[in-house]
Structures are given as structure tokens and as C-alpha cells.
Amino acid sequence: MPDLPPLLLSRDSMVHGLTPNELAKRVRAGALVRVRHGVYTDGPAWRALKPWEQYPLRIQAAAEMLQKPTIFARHSAASSWGIPTIGVHPVQVLTLKNDGGRSRGGIRRHFAARTDLKVVQLGGFLVTDRIRTVLDLAAFSPFAEAIVPLDHVLRDDPIHGLPALTKAELEAGIGAIYSAAAARRIRAAIAFADPASGSAGESWSRALIHAAGFETPILQQKFSDAAGPVGYADFYWKESKVVGEFDGEEKYVKDEFLRGRTASQAVVAEKNRENRIRALGLHVVRWDWANLKEPGALERKLAAAGVARRRTRSAVLDAQNRL
């Protein structure tokens, strides 16, 4: 995550020597951008951020303007915990009054009973605890998207210094908070979750593979040839003799993946690894974020590569819709 530019509140603009007219003029010129009513930030820095990188700033801006105390939940709490999610979402907060709430101005409110509600202070915000955060996402997100945060919390998070949660802890957190239908969705997602998925993209891929009715792949399969270890494959279908690789941009830009290499050196090394895998008599199919976002794209790639199905896609979707 890149460094985020500071926020400028309109109520403090005079401290910075900006009159309301000068503030408006800078917005029109693009020097500033309005994050939400009454909150601004540096325009060029904002535009350099990807939408999901802008999201924490949207949360900060909401925290500045909302009545205190505000409890952030679902995707907003996940962002604060460093838990990956799919898509860009409005800022999400809890209301403890069951009056329907009011969702507007880029903020979505959800009712939550006080019973069993665990809230912690994180980065200056009040957020739902990790277990409640991922359970809410599992209850109210599509199955394939819900798997991403669940897989993540089942692994240690060294970046944020957080230990892995267990499936038993997640199951125990369901309690009586959710409806019977929501609880079934959560339990199905927990049962499918797997800490062996190495990234958000791999988790989303795995869930889409399951929804499309393909055979369950082996995760992180190790390969070797006569020259020694080749490396690990994201997905491996032994019977179909197919290896699947998700290409996230982090593989070629993040230090922990580059291990001292340049991006071009990483690309060459990846190509050499793929050639060695192909030499073992295996077919390699690759996909990226764009393929995951395009409905049916991953399914078509795997079908063309000859990956076997355990049952038809429609049968899988019918089973999920009954949850």
C-alpha cells in the first residue's frame, strides 16, 4: 500500500490560508480533489492511486465527518485489518438502532444488535473484530468473494503481526447473530476456505473454479525435474495433467516476490519455470485479474485446457442457491 496523502478539512482551510473561493478554485484546477463533502486531498496524489488504494482515504474522510463514535464494518473493517476483499465498495458502518438506517453520501449503514458485538480500536477507528468482520462478509457477499477474506485470516499475517484464526474460532463466532440462511452460507464458505491459497487472486480463482464445477485442484504442488526443484504451481489437476497459474501484478513488482531481482528478471525466471513444467508433459494455463473480472473467462480457459469437471456448472449453482 503506497503512502496516502493527508486530508484537508474545509473547516480547517483557513488555517492553511485558503478561503472557500480559493478552495473551490483549486478543486476546479485539479490541485485538490474532494473525497467527500467537506474533505479534500492532493489531486495528483489521489489520481495516482488505484481505486482500492483510495478506499482507506474514503474511510478516513468518513471518520472525520461522521458523528462519533462510528463503528466501521464489513469491507471497511476489512480494509483496516488489512484483509483483502474483491471489488470497490462504499464505506460501511454499523447502526445500533433498528430503524432502517439511512445510507447516503457514499456511506452504507447496517443494523447490528449490541449482543455479542465485539469492537476494537484500530488505527484510530472503531471496527468490528476480525472474526465478526469476515463472518459478516461471508454472510452478505457472493460465495466466491467471501472466500478471499476467509482464506486470508486462516493464515498468519506477518505484515500486520496477526496470527492465523482457526475454522473452529470462526464457527464459534456465528452464534445466534445471523439468520439460519446466513449461517448456512457462512458455514459453507468456512468449510471451503483453505489457507493454502497464496493470495487474494488465488482464493478468488479457486472459488470460481469450484462454482464452475471443475475438479478440485491440488494447491501449491511442488515440481522437480532432472535439474532439480522447479518450484510450486498455484493449481494442479493431476488427472487432467494441467497446471494453472494466477498472474497477479505483485509477482513482478513486490519485493517479497522479486527477492532482489528486477521485474524483467522475474518475468524471464517465470517463463523458464513454465517451460520446465511443460517439459514434464503438463499443459500450463495462465490467467490474471482481468480474466477473473470477466464473467466466464476463467471457465472458458480451463475448459479449453482440458480440465475435467466433477459435475456441470448448473448443478453447482443450484446447490449453492439452496444454501
Side-chain angles (χ1 to χ4, degrees):
M1 176 66 71
D3 292 335
L4 299 178
L7 297 176
L8 170 65
L9 308 184
S10 58
R11 62 175 179 255
D12 298 332
S13 60
M14 294 300 292
V15 175
H16 299 278
L18 294 174
T19 66
N21 285 339
E22 289 169 332
L23 194 62
K25 186 183 297 183
R26 292 198 180 191
V27 171
R28 288 194 297 270
L32 291 175
V33 65
R34 192 178 80 165
V35 181
R36 62 176 297 106
H37 181 72
V39 186
Y40 303 82
T41 194
D42 180 79
W46 172 266
R47 289 186 288 273
L49 297 173
K50 296 179 175 65
W52 57 90
E53 294 170 339
Q54 295 171 349
Y55 190 56
L57 270 181
R58 295 188 186 278
I59 297 171
Q60 290 181 31
E64 291 287 353
M65 304 306 290
L66 289 173
Q67 183 178 358
K68 303 294 189 297
T70 298
I71 303 170
F72 292 91
R74 301 193 188 184
H75 296 88
S76 297
S79 177
S80 298
W81 283 110
I83 298 172
T85 59
I86 299 301
V88 179
H89 300 268
V91 175
Q92 307 201 48
V93 303
L94 296 184
T95 175
L96 303 180
K97 295 181 180 180
N98 195 7
D99 56 4
R102 301 186 68 182
S103 298
R104 63 183 182 184
I107 296 175
R108 186 165 295 164
R109 290 172 170 80
H110 306 281
F111 168 71
R114 295 178 184 273
T115 305
D116 296 325
L117 178 62
K118 295 179 181 178
V119 176
V120 301
Q121 188 162 20
L122 191 66
F125 307 138
L126 292 178
V127 302
T128 51
D129 74 322
R130 274 205 301 166
I131 290 177
R132 177 63 179 266
T133 297
V134 295
L135 293 184
D136 279 354
L137 291 171
F140 304 114
S141 299
F143 175 83
E145 295 180 13
I147 298 305
V148 174
L150 285 171
D151 280 358
H152 178 84
V153 299
L154 292 177
R155 302 188 297 268
D156 289 334
D157 183 349
I159 293 177
H160 299 92
L162 297 170
L165 297 175
T166 67
K167 289 192 176 187
E169 289 176 303
L170 295 175
E171 287 269 2
I174 298 173
I177 298 172
Y178 303 95
S179 68
R184 285 196 298 272
R185 289 194 295 273
I186 295 171
R187 290 191 174 94
I190 292 174
F192 184 77
D194 190 332
S197 284
S199 68
E202 290 178 32
S203 294
W204 195 17
S205 298
R206 191 169 61 84
L208 292 174
I209 289 166
H210 176 76
F214 290 104
E215 290 285 350
T216 301
I218 300 170
L219 304 182
Q220 312 305 327
Q221 175 67 43
K222 184 178 181 179
F223 289 101
S224 298
D225 60 13
V230 176
Y232 294 84
D234 297 336
F235 305 93
Y236 175 47
W237 290 270
K238 185 175 181 179
E239 296 300 321
S240 302
K241 295 185 177 181
V242 175
V243 164
E245 293 284 276
F246 169 72
D247 281 329
E249 65 177 19
E250 61 271 12
K251 188 179 291 186
Y252 306 108
V253 298
K254 288 191 175 181
D255 291 339
E256 60 264 38
F257 293 94
L258 291 174
R259 300 188 184 95
R261 302 170 298 179
T262 65
S264 60
Q265 288 172 332
V267 170
V268 171
E270 183 65 15
K271 183 62 177 176
N272 290 338
R273 185 180 73 93
E274 179 178 325
N275 289 338
R276 291 173 68 185
I277 291 176
R278 291 184 188 278
L280 295 173
L282 302 172
H283 181 72
V284 179
V285 58
R286 312 187 77 96
W287 60 89
D288 56 20
W289 283 109
N291 299 133
L292 296 182
K293 294 174 183 176
E294 180 186 344
L298 177 58
E299 181 177 359
R300 291 191 294 272
K301 277 180 170 285
L302 297 182
V307 176
R309 298 185 191 253
R310 67 187 189 282
R311 51 179 170 161
T312 64
R313 185 177 193 275
S314 60
V316 177
L317 293 179
D318 287 344
Q320 290 177 351
N321 289 335
R322 288 195 297 270
L323 292 176

